[in-house]
Amino acid sequence: IAGVVAMSGRLLPEALPLAAPVASLRGKPALLVHGTEDTVLPVTDSRAAFEKLSAFELSLTLNEFPMGHHVS
């Protein structure tokens, strides 16, 4: 994997045990984007994913936008 972009998503707890070792992910780019007005998946899902993914030493970015659950 070269990198990841996740838009208005969440990290399922059952996926964590399947993750690659930290050494193989270290420094890989990961971008999380989420609308602060999202009523389908709350922005807190991306914030929680950011916290969990921080342990993998990714080049991690979370961008929040004042919008709902859509792409513009």
Side-chain angles (χ1 to χ4, degrees):
I1 294 176
V4 173
V5 174
M7 300 174 68
S8 297
R10 63 186 178 124
L11 182 60
L12 300 173
E14 56 269 23
L16 289 175
L18 305 173
V22 172
S24 67
L25 298 174
R26 187 173 290 122
K28 302 265 187 198
L31 173 62
L32 309 178
V33 294
H34 212 117
T36 57
E37 307 304 316
D38 192 337
T39 57
V40 177
L41 292 170
V43 69
T44 53
D45 287 349
S46 283
R47 292 174 184 161
F50 183 88
E51 293 301 318
K52 293 281 187 190
L53 292 172
S54 294
F56 290 95
E57 301 179 25
L58 299 160
S59 177
L60 189 57
T61 303
L62 171 60
N63 289 335
E64 297 180 11
F65 298 96
M67 58 191 274
H69 190 80
H70 61 271
V71 177
S72 64

